Amino acid sequence: LPLSAAANLRPGAEQKVVFITARVHPGETPSSFVCQGIIDFLVSHHPIAKVLRDHLVFKIAPMLNPDGVYLGNYRCSLMGFDLNRHWANPSPWAHPTLHGVKELIIDMYNNPRINLEFYIDIHAHSTMMNGFMYGNIFEDEERFQRQAVFPKLLCQNAEDFSYSSTSFNRDAVKAGTGRRFLGGLLNDTSYCYTLEVSFYSYILGGTASAVPYTEEAYMKLGRNVARTFLDYYRLNSLVEGPLAPTPKTR
């Protein structure tokens, strides 16, 4: 794919960056399928994917806990750490993946030519159904309202995503998570979320029947996450061909 032709990759161009991570908890395997769906869609020949590549830069770390996955751990790394509680001060020795990703994020944040606009950390949930998000709480009411836009748009695009299950919090026990730490570090033009997806099923809107998740359904959620950036940045009119949706006015 001629990725180098994208305007946002030319030398000196200002880059809007979407940073996505997954599998910080090794037992949460659905997160890998969601992330795979995002990756497969973004590198495809789909007209929407081409528009997204032309306008955004996606940085994706699909597995933050490879040693835990290799060992078959449920939550911890080889060293016995829940990595999603160590974002505040990750050790290059004990938490090397977090340390590396955090350094990269901070470098991008300090680069005047880069706008780090989204951070999304993908997880799986063992008790709740559907896909949903956790966001942060801010004193600035306008920033708080702007943060709700992306999950509302995702709810329109994905039949298995629930905005009613999406919540915004600053629970003290979650202070060391990527979403909470980066939400406090980055400025008010950045949005940080945890994307959760059920281990087992989702309920279609307007019905009471639970639909079991499959690998393909998880990957479809990933594709819908990627597609939602088209709506968020109002790029619909740039999609070529018969797949172009009617631009929505908001």
Side-chain angles (χ1 to χ4, degrees), residues 168-183:
F168 304 92
N169 63 65
R170 52 180 168 204
D171 185 350
V173 77
K174 301 290 182 69
T177 65
R179 182 257 309 178
R180 280 289 309 282
F181 177 76
L182 294 172

Side-chain angles (χ1 to χ4, degrees), residues 5-155:
N8 60 21
L9 297 178
R10 290 181 186 137
E14 184 180 74
Q15 296 182 358
K16 289 185 166 97
V17 173
V18 175
F19 206 109
I20 297 171
T21 58
R23 209 71 185 273
V24 72
H25 292 140
E28 296 176 9
T29 50
S31 70
S32 283
F33 291 112
V34 175
C35 193
Q36 189 68 51
I38 294 173
I39 294 170
D40 288 349
F41 183 77
L42 289 175
V43 301
S44 74
H45 292 283
H46 196 289
I48 292 176
K50 181 182 183 305
V51 171
L52 293 176
R53 291 195 303 267
D54 285 345
H55 289 82
L56 301 168
V57 174
F58 290 87
K59 301 281 188 182
I60 301 175
M63 190 174 286
L64 287 179
N65 197 339
D67 48 327
V69 170
Y70 177 78
L71 290 169
N73 291 353
Y74 179 71
R75 196 166 179 88
C76 294
S77 66
L78 168 67
M79 301 288 291
F81 292 107
D82 179 345
L83 296 181
N84 206 35
R85 297 297 182 270
H86 289 275
W87 277 91
N89 189 27
S91 158
W93 178 73
H95 326 106
T97 53
L98 253 61
H99 183 268
V101 168
K102 182 181 172 183
E103 291 283 298
L104 177 58
I105 288 174
I106 291 174
D107 285 348
M108 288 192 298
Y109 178 61
N110 291 329
N111 187 331
R113 289 181 175 167
I114 293 177
N115 287 329
L116 181 54
E117 305 216 332
F118 282 89
Y119 171 74
I120 300 176
D121 189 28
I122 309 173
H123 288 250
H125 206 285
S126 59
T127 59
M128 293 182 67
M129 289 200 270
N130 295 73
F132 58 95
M133 279 178 152
Y134 292 126
N136 295 313
I137 290 178
F138 303 105
E139 303 304 329
D140 180 351
E141 180 64 23
E142 184 195 353
R143 185 182 184 191
F144 183 72
Q145 294 295 335
R146 279 189 279 123
Q147 184 188 214
V149 172
F150 187 85
K152 284 181 177 177
L153 292 174
L154 179 55
C155 188

Side-chain angles (χ1 to χ4, degrees), residues 217-235:
Y218 288 130
M219 288 191 281
K220 183 179 179 181
L221 176 59
R223 294 194 293 271
N224 285 327
V225 169
R227 284 169 176 264
T228 299
F229 288 105
L230 189 83
D231 295 332
Y232 183 86
Y233 287 103
R234 297 175 177 171
L235 301 171

